[in-house]
Each structure stands twice: as structure tokens, then as C-alpha cells.
Amino acid sequence: MEKKDVQINFGNNLKKYRVLSGKSQEELAFEADLSTVYLGIIERGERCPTIDTLLKICSVLKISPLCLLDFGDEPDDTEPYSIIKYALKDVPDIHKMKLACFFEKFADLYKENFKV
């Protein structure tokens, strides 16, 4: 995959998760301590963010960096969750976000009750 493809895919994912969160570019930029111009540049796929910027954005959106770096849609048998990811590929993103929240709460409860 070429660098430009990575930038475009990353920007598309960023915009998707920003919109799903209900935040405008201005709100996300303010909360992540970024300029709106820079955030727009990233969303348009013109630049890649630094790791620090990636972590700030993910913190505000309450998502894993992997969400923004996931560009594929084919299952990968070497990854344990690939079958689930592939099965959910056509599910609307808003439902995926709800499922992610559910699994996060489930994992927290599991850790609390089983001292993992």
C-alpha cells in the first residue's frame, strides 16, 4: 500500500469516527488541542498525524488507534478477531460502536470479577 493510500484511508476512518461521535471538526480539534486546519488536512488524506496526535484524537473519540488504522476488509486467519471483524463488515458503524461499548463494559466486568 502506498503512503498516499494510507493517508486517504486514515483520513476517511478519522472522519467516519468523528461523525459517529457527533463532533464537528472544530469540536474535535479543540478537545484534542489541534488546529482545525490541521485536522482538515488529515481528514482529506493530505498528511499523516504523529503518534502523539493520533493518541490525542483517539482519546477524545474514545476509540483505539487500531480503529483509525484498520484499512482492510478481508479476514486474516492469523488475527484472533478477524472472523468477527469480517462478519461485522456490513453492519452500520453506529451499531459497531454500540457493540464495542458493550464488549468494553463486559471486559471490565470480567476483569473485576475474575481478577484478570
Side-chain angles (χ1 to χ4, degrees):
M1 182 177 285
E2 298 290 322
K3 180 179 178 180
K4 187 65 179 168
D5 296 328
V6 170
Q7 290 173 232
I8 290 169
N9 284 315
F10 184 91
N12 289 338
N13 284 347
L14 174 55
K15 183 174 182 177
K16 175 178 73 175
Y17 283 102
R18 178 183 56 76
V19 169
L20 283 172
S21 75
K23 294 186 185 305
S24 67
Q25 275 189 346
E26 292 78 13
E27 290 170 319
L28 176 56
F30 177 78
E31 292 177 37
D33 195 27
L34 304 170
S35 78
T36 54
V37 171
Y38 183 56
L39 188 62
I41 288 170
I42 296 170
E43 281 193 4
R44 288 190 302 277
E46 297 171 9
R47 297 273 308 270
C48 283
T50 64
I51 296 296
D52 289 340
T53 300
L54 171 66
L55 295 175
K56 286 180 185 181
I57 291 169
C58 289
S59 176
V60 171
L61 294 178
K62 296 177 177 43
I63 59 173
S64 164
L66 294 176
C67 293
L68 298 179
L69 297 169
D70 182 10
F71 309 143
D73 61 356
E74 292 298 316
D76 175 6
D77 292 337
T78 62
E79 196 218 318
Y81 305 107
S82 64
I83 294 170
I84 295 169
K85 183 176 110 178
Y86 187 71
L88 294 174
K89 74 180 178 80
D90 294 326
V91 173
D93 288 332
I94 191 72
H95 297 301
K96 289 178 189 174
M97 293 286 284
K98 290 177 183 177
L99 282 170
C101 289
F102 168 80
F103 284 119
E104 185 176 8
K105 289 178 183 175
F106 176 81
D108 289 342
L109 286 170
Y110 184 86
K111 287 176 192 174
E112 286 176 24
N113 291 307
F114 296 99
K115 306 295 183 216
V116 175

